[in-house]
Amino acid sequence: MPPLRTALLQSSGRPGAVAENLAALDAAAARAAEAGARLLVSPELFLTGYAIGDDVPTLAEPADGPGAREVAAIAVRHGLAVLYGYPERDGDRIHNSAQLIGPDGIPLANYRKTHLFGAFEEKWFTPGDVPVVQAELDGIRIGLLICYDVEFPENVRAHALAGTELLLVPTALMHPFTFVAEAVVPVRAFESQLYVAYANRAGEEGEFDFTGLSCLAGPDGTARVRAGRGDELLVGEVDPGLLSASRAVNPYLRDRVPGLYGSLA
């Protein structure tokens, strides 16, 4: 199976400016497609911006809302799958969500963040209750988490046990937590033997100061590609052959003793 060329957009866009953020996503998709990518991953809440404060209720939309339709058009126009973050309205509840749209414009998966971080998220969002959400793209099993979720090893291990090969993590990592991008994410990829595409925001946005440092981490525990602190489009490859070889020599998954771990739950 050939590698899946994957692009990561590191950018904060503009808070509250959905049309401008969609235009930025469209431009990034064009560049990613030109580089041969079949998948573009954008940051957490990229559709609306993260620092939107009390505008969350007015900017939230359903999973099949106008933002989804615009992203679907972008995916079709450039012939690649697109993952985007957005505030999802479901009745009276609002979730911090990420949706994966296929190259044909058809939604493949929608995930609601299960571990909310900080006062802003806890005020406005309802946590999701489905820990493992997956889709297939070009023969690769893809899983979805959002930002803080990946910092819990249980979440990533659950994906590994469910067969996830590439874990997409749109994020909004802030200072001073640079060690998460630099150390925790590659370790998660190593200990659970999968790829992690970690797409962060960059620069100041309202009261938040984002770290950048997006990466595509491999099962060998290294960042196959790594961004700096500013806006950037990364392109790397998810190689099923490397993953298979790594799982063959790394015993973590097969040496587990689940009978000993009951107290952890």
Side-chain angles (χ1 to χ4, degrees), residues 50 113 115-125 148 174 208:
Y50 188 90
K113 189 174 185 178
H115 295 69
L116 302 179
F117 179 83
F120 165 66
E121 293 188 19
E122 291 173 353
K123 176 180 179 180
W124 290 111
F125 298 112
Y148 195 37
M174 311 158 195
F208 306 106

Side-chain angles (χ1 to χ4, degrees), residues 161-196:
L161 296 177
T164 294
E165 297 166 299
L166 169 60
L167 188 58
L168 308 184
V169 187
T171 190
L173 183 71
M174 311 158 195
H175 288 287
F177 305 110
T178 55
F179 66 90
V180 173
E182 293 171 335
V184 173
V185 170
V187 167
R188 290 287 174 271
F190 179 75
E191 69 190 5
S192 282
Q193 287 298 287
L194 39 68
Y195 282 88
V196 179

Side-chain angles (χ1 to χ4, degrees), residues 21-230:
N21 295 336
L22 284 167
L25 188 64
D26 187 36
R31 292 170 56 201
E34 185 177 0
R38 284 282 291 165
L39 170 63
L40 172 64
V41 184
S42 66
E44 182 176 7
L45 294 177
F46 186 75
L47 183 67
T48 59
Y50 188 90
I52 53 177
D54 293 346
D55 289 334
V56 170
T58 58
L59 291 171
E61 61 177 63
D64 60 353
R69 294 192 291 272
E70 291 291 337
V71 175
I74 291 171
V76 171
R77 182 157 53 247
H78 301 291
L80 79 175
V82 178
L83 180 83
Y84 71 102
Y86 72 109
E88 179 193 357
R89 178 173 292 284
D90 182 11
D92 294 333
R93 296 181 176 183
I94 300 174
H95 301 278
N96 183 339
S97 297
Q99 183 157 216
L100 178 63
I101 306 289
D104 56 2
I106 296 176
L108 298 178
N110 188 70
Y111 171 76
R112 296 168 173 175
K113 189 174 185 178
T114 55
H115 295 69
L116 302 179
F117 179 83
F120 165 66
E121 293 188 19
E122 291 173 353
K123 176 180 179 180
W124 290 111
F125 298 112
T126 298
D129 57 7
V130 179
V132 177
V133 172
Q134 297 173 307
E136 297 281 335
L137 178 65
D138 294 353
I140 302 291
R141 184 169 293 184
I142 291 174
L144 309 181
L145 291 178
I146 298 175
C147 197
Y148 195 37
D149 291 330
V150 81
E151 297 176 39
F152 294 82
E154 298 89 345
N155 284 338
V156 184
R157 181 55 56 81
H159 269 279
L161 296 177
T164 294
E165 297 166 299
L166 169 60
L167 188 58
L168 308 184
V169 187
T171 190
L173 183 71
M174 311 158 195
H175 288 287
F177 305 110
T178 55
F179 66 90
V180 173
E182 293 171 335
V184 173
V185 170
V187 167
R188 290 287 174 271
F190 179 75
E191 69 190 5
S192 282
Q193 287 298 287
L194 39 68
Y195 282 88
V196 179
Y198 189 78
N200 196 17
R201 310 180 76 82
E204 295 184 2
E205 184 182 333
E207 63 183 288
F208 306 106
D209 185 9
F210 299 108
T211 68
L213 300 176
S214 300
C215 68
L216 177 63
D220 58 356
T222 68
R224 316 298 288 185
V225 290
R226 166 79 72 186
R229 305 283 184 158

